[in-house]
Amino acid sequence: MSDSMIDQVQNLAEDVQGTLRLGVSNNFAISKFPQIIASFNKVFPKVKIQLQTGLGIEIMKLLEEGEIHIGIKSAGYKWAEQKVLIDSSKICLISKEEMTLQDLPSENMIYIATPSIKKVFTNWWPAMFKTAPMITMETDYVETGKRMVINGLGVAFVPAFCLEPSDPVHIIELVQMAKEEYIMESWMNYRESTVELSVVREFIQFMKDRI
């Protein structure tokens, strides 16, 4: 029996049950998603979560191919159907030792390659400094970048959602340039046709209620 047929059969049950196929970008999956799923599971204990993680572009490909019901990723990729903003987090600078923004051009930079952080380098940095950043490392993962900073390997721009009170880092908020705020947005993407499935409908409403 195909996944779609199984979905339809499970959808006939009186209570919400079945398999919810989710795709979540790595950065959101590590920092935010475990608490979300734990809360959802308490409300809907009969729902089985089938989770795939990856880069945002990989998640959207899974959604386009019908491999997942819902894709969660940061801004930067176009999606023609339904989408809901579920999280917005300021981007800030973190360092192991105390420093100021004026020290930044002389610091080794760990570049986290997400669309939102790329915007910091293309818009904010040139407005602040005349010299290019000294990028010594590059990664797709926010958590990896943070761990590199904690181990004294450089400084990095990260979304605030990845930071815990116990993290041994210094945090500096960016100077706002031309009233532009630098944030990392996370979006929930899905097809309207899948909302007829109770597991999908309830998860979408659950996420909207959190906003």
Side-chain angles (χ1 to χ4, degrees):
M1 186 179 291
S2 68
D3 287 342
S4 60
M5 291 179 68
I6 293 172
D7 289 341
Q8 294 297 336
V9 171
Q10 292 174 333
N11 198 45
L12 297 175
E14 290 185 5
D15 52 356
V16 180
Q17 60 180 288
T19 300
L20 177 62
R21 298 192 297 276
L22 301 173
V24 184
S25 64
N26 291 311
N27 293 323
F28 194 83
I30 292 172
S31 300
K32 304 279 285 190
F33 207 58
Q35 299 93 325
I36 292 173
I37 285 300
S39 298
F40 181 78
N41 185 249
K42 288 181 181 179
V43 181
F44 302 103
K46 291 186 178 181
V47 175
K48 176 185 175 182
I49 303 297
Q50 189 177 87
L51 177 64
Q52 296 193 58
T53 61
L55 300 178
I57 193 169
E58 295 169 342
I59 297 304
M60 295 311 292
K61 184 177 180 182
L62 290 173
L63 183 59
E64 289 170 355
E65 294 176 349
E67 296 295 321
I68 56 176
H69 295 126
I70 295 171
I72 295 175
K73 52 81 182 171
S74 62
Y77 303 96
K78 292 183 179 179
W79 174 243
E81 294 207 41
Q82 301 298 315
K83 59 189 299 184
V84 178
L85 179 64
I86 59 172
D87 189 79
S88 182
S89 183
K90 284 187 176 182
I91 294 174
C92 54
L93 176 72
I94 60 170
S95 62
K96 182 175 176 62
E97 305 297 336
E98 192 168 354
M99 58 172 288
T100 67
L101 286 178
Q102 286 69 35
D103 300 324
L104 195 48
S106 62
E107 296 285 338
N108 290 335
M109 177 65 65
I110 299 163
Y111 176 53
I112 301 169
T114 73
S116 300
I117 293 176
K118 181 179 179 180
K119 191 176 179 183
V120 175
F121 283 94
T122 57
N123 294 4
W124 182 85
W125 187 284
M128 286 289 294
F129 307 111
K130 294 181 179 179
T131 57
M134 295 198 308
I135 297 174
T136 56
M137 295 186 185
E138 182 173 337
T139 177
D140 293 315
Y141 304 105
V142 170
E143 187 65 20
T144 301
K146 185 178 79 169
R147 294 296 170 186
M148 294 295 185
V149 172
I150 290 173
N151 283 278
L153 297 172
V155 301
F157 295 110
V158 300
F161 71 62
C162 79
L163 300 173
E164 301 290 342
S166 59
D167 286 335
V169 297
H170 294 272
I171 304 169
I172 303 176
E173 291 195 2
L174 303 188
V175 174
Q176 196 165 313
M177 308 298 294
K179 297 183 179 180
E180 184 173 16
E181 192 173 34
Y182 293 91
I183 58 175
M184 181 177 286
E185 296 178 341
S186 296
W187 292 81
M188 175 173 63
N189 305 267
Y190 58 95
R191 284 190 169 87
E192 183 63 36
S193 59
T194 61
V195 179
E196 65 186 41
L197 300 175
S198 61
V199 289
V200 175
R201 183 170 61 251
E202 293 297 343
F203 183 80
I204 291 170
Q205 189 58 53
F206 177 83
M207 294 300 289
K208 287 181 176 180
D209 291 342
R210 293 182 65 258
I211 300 173

